[in-house]
């Protein structure tokens, strides 16, 4: 073979190799898209914004309680501070919590619903980092009451409890972050296997009940649409529980199976620009950022933990992250975030949901992604 031909062939292969490697590199990003920078911007935005009303940071009236989108962003901010070893930043997240123990006690949510009980994940994270007993007691109250049947329980709640599940079970995919997050946190702080065992058992119930043959999930058995963020809660819930679930746990293999099935499906539905849609498998649905962030987080975690193929899923995760950063406005707010959404068996219901700027449903998973990238 001619020397020039060999040279060209070598340069072509070298260029392809370098290009291919950069496509799934989760460490180096262009200027303005570095996770350290983006994470700090979103953390600062949260710390300088009042409590939201179910994610809306500009509510017409002050919120009556701390709602789960705040919890998710709070957690994300603390995770990011820990991952970047920024003790001053972590202290500011702790300072934000102090009023809830005193003058803002009225904002503590009642432990009577999956969306409320997840609040306990925040004080438990504070306990993990500070060792302060007051945080442990408050956090465990939310973890424990999720399995303690109330006196006024409804018949269906009693039935779930008799089977060993949380009385708050309702088979909505959102629950698979809300329930597993608080129970996983309780396990992390106590090392008591009952918390992680029941979280894993709950996850398997949901997988068996509502994962579709194509790997995606309907919002609920009554709402036959694969809503983006709903599937995002499931993706993150599985990734998080698998990160800490002991290998000897009898439900680990089943959860990993469900996780792989979902991740494989998501690869097929990711758009060329890296985004996923409001209804994942509907080509006419709009591209939605909170779902994209959640799927990106689940894939980053899977690649870093060694559960997923780096070339395929690292490429998808990188594309997702780069796409998301283009949706951040000058005020450090993520755009195109679907508003909080209840179940309804109607395509129009999901297609016509309000698109909110700066909603914490989007800010939170963006912070999670930044954290996962720098871990």
């Amino acid at each position: 073979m001619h020397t020039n031909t060999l040279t060209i062939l070598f340069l072509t292969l070298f260029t392809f190799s370098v290009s291919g490697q950069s496509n799934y590199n989760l460490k180096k990003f262009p200027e303005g898209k570095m996770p350290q920078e983006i994470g700090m911007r979103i953390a600062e935005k949260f710390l300088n914004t009042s409590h939201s009303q179910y994610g809306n940071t500009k509510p017409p009236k002050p919120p009556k309680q701390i709602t789960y989108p705040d919890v998710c962003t709070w957690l994300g901010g603390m995770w990011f501070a820990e991952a970047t070893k920024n003790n001053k930043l972590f202290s500011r997240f702790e300072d934000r919590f102090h009023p809830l123990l005193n003058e803002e006690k009225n904002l503590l949510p009642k432990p009577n619903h999956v969306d409320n009980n997840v609040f306990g994940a925040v004080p438990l994270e504070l306990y993990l980092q500070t060792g302060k007993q007051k945080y442990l007691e408050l956090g465990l109250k939310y973890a424990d009451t999720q399995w303690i049947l109330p006196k006024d329980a409804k018949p269906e709640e009693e039935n779930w409890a008799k089977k060993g599940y949380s009385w708050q079970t309702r088979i909505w995919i959102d629950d698979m972050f809300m329930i597993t997050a608080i129970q996983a946190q309780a396990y992390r702080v106590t090392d008591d296997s009952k918390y992680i065992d029941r979280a894993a058992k709950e996850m398997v119930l949901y997988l068996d009940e509502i994962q579709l043959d194509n790997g995606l999930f309907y919002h609920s058995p009554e709402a036959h649409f694969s809503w983006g963020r709903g599937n995002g809660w499931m993706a993150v819930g599985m990734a998080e529980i698998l990160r800490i679930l002991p290998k000897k746990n009898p439900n680990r293999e089943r959860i990993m199976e469900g996780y792989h099935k979902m991740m494989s499906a998501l690869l097929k539905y990711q758009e060329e620009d890296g985004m996923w849609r409001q209804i994942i498998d509907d080509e006419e649905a709009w591209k939605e950022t909170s779902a994209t962030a959640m799927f990106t987080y689940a894939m980053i975690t899977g690649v870093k933990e060694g559960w997923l193929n780096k070339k395929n899923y690292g490429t998808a995760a990188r594309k997702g992250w780069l796409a998301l950063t283009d949706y951040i406005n000058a005020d450090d707010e993520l755009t195109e975030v679907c508003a909080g959404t209840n179940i309804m068996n109607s395509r129009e219901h999901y297609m016509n949901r309000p698109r909110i700027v700066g909603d914490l449903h989007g800010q939170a998973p963006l912070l999670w992604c930044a954290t996962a990238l720098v871990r």
Side-chain angles (χ1 to χ4, degrees):
M1 188 178 290
H2 195 279
T3 304
N4 287 343
T5 305
L6 284 171
T7 303
I8 292 170
L9 179 61
F10 172 78
L11 289 173
T12 301
L13 290 171
F14 178 77
T15 302
F16 177 81
S17 174
V18 172
S19 173
Q21 185 178 32
S22 66
N23 285 343
Y24 53 84
N25 189 314
L26 297 180
K27 293 183 179 179
K28 295 182 180 180
F29 294 93
E31 186 176 348
K33 295 177 178 289
M34 291 294 292
Q36 295 88 341
E37 175 193 339
I38 299 296
M40 196 67 196
R41 285 168 58 188
I42 303 304
E44 286 285 354
K45 183 68 177 182
F46 178 72
L47 288 169
N48 290 302
T49 304
S50 299
H51 302 313
S52 84
Q53 180 64 20
Y54 288 102
N56 184 355
T57 57
K58 305 175 184 69
K61 296 180 181 179
K64 295 181 179 180
Q65 67 173 59
I66 301 299
T67 55
Y68 70 86
D70 289 71
V71 170
C72 295
T73 315
W74 221 318
L75 270 179
M78 290 189 288
W79 290 347
F80 179 76
E82 293 155 22
T84 55
K85 297 179 172 57
N86 191 332
N87 294 330
K88 289 184 178 179
L89 180 63
F90 186 90
S91 293
R92 292 171 63 196
F93 281 101
E94 183 180 9
D95 290 343
R96 184 181 176 94
F97 195 85
H98 286 158
L100 296 175
L101 300 175
N102 300 292
E103 66 268 25
E104 290 184 353
K105 264 189 174 181
N106 61 300
L107 295 180
L108 293 177
K110 294 180 180 179
N112 60 3
H113 191 278
V114 288
D115 290 346
N116 287 349
N117 281 64
V118 72
F119 170 82
V122 172
L124 290 178
E125 188 66 34
L126 287 169
Y127 173 75
L128 273 173
Q129 301 305 317
T130 68
K132 296 177 182 177
Q133 195 69 18
K134 59 185 178 182
Y135 298 139
L136 177 65
E137 293 172 0
L138 179 59
L140 286 183
K141 181 183 82 170
Y142 286 91
D144 291 336
T145 53
Q146 196 159 63
W147 253 259
I148 298 174
L149 191 68
K151 293 179 180 179
D152 60 348
K154 300 173 183 176
E156 61 266 29
E157 293 170 341
E158 291 182 1
N159 288 335
W160 286 122
K162 287 177 182 177
K163 296 175 184 178
Y165 299 108
S166 170
W167 63 274
Q168 296 178 357
T169 300
R170 56 179 182 166
I171 317 296
W172 290 24
I173 43 178
D174 317 45
D175 303 351
M176 282 301 93
F177 179 84
M178 307 305 164
I179 292 176
T180 59
I182 176 61
Q183 298 303 320
Q185 286 286 83
Y187 171 67
R188 291 175 70 203
V189 302
T190 64
D191 204 30
D192 187 337
S193 62
K194 75 177 181 184
Y195 293 109
I196 198 66
D197 288 348
R198 64 196 189 189
K201 180 179 178 180
E202 192 85 18
M203 176 65 79
V204 168
L205 169 69
Y206 278 64
L207 287 171
D208 289 346
E209 289 286 330
I210 54 175
Q211 187 167 32
L212 305 172
D213 289 340
N214 67 2
L216 301 179
F217 297 80
Y218 286 150
H219 194 173
S220 80
E222 296 78 35
H224 292 181
F225 294 91
S226 293
W227 173 45
R229 187 167 65 245
N231 277 260
W233 291 122
M234 178 64 78
V236 174
M238 284 193 284
E240 280 302 286
I241 197 170
L242 287 169
R243 281 206 317 130
I244 65 170
L245 189 63
K247 291 184 178 179
K248 64 182 180 180
N249 185 283
N251 287 316
R252 183 178 176 84
E253 184 176 344
R254 175 68 183 92
I255 297 171
M256 187 66 79
E257 176 193 341
Y259 169 79
H260 276 125
K261 188 175 180 180
M262 184 183 201
M263 294 301 106
S264 178
L266 290 173
L267 272 187
K268 300 173 187 175
Y269 291 107
Q270 187 179 31
E271 297 298 321
E272 281 299 315
D273 62 359
M275 296 293 290
W276 279 273
R277 296 185 182 276
Q278 163 73 350
I279 300 176
I280 300 171
D281 53 353
D282 190 327
E283 293 182 355
E284 295 182 358
W286 46 284
K287 295 174 183 178
E288 202 276 332
T289 52
S290 69
T292 296
M294 290 179 176
F295 299 149
T296 299
Y297 175 83
M299 288 186 179
I300 295 169
T301 301
V303 169
K304 291 203 166 191
E305 293 286 340
W307 311 326
L308 297 176
N309 176 282
K310 184 177 182 180
K311 186 173 182 180
N312 294 336
Y313 292 95
T315 298
R318 181 179 175 86
K319 283 172 64 177
W321 171 257
L322 292 175
L324 283 168
T325 58
D326 289 336
Y327 284 82
I328 305 172
N329 67 18
D331 293 323
D332 298 326
E333 297 170 322
L334 196 61
T335 60
E336 295 296 298
V337 182
C338 174
T341 300
N342 284 320
I343 63 170
M344 187 176 291
N345 198 27
S346 161
R347 178 175 181 265
E348 289 68 30
H349 171 69
Y350 295 97
M351 294 287 277
N352 298 329
R353 294 302 295 152
R355 310 182 196 187
I356 302 181
V357 174
D359 189 286
L360 296 187
H361 285 95
Q363 303 288 98
L366 187 60
L367 260 176
W368 299 345
C369 287
T371 300
L373 287 168
V374 300
R375 268 181 183 145

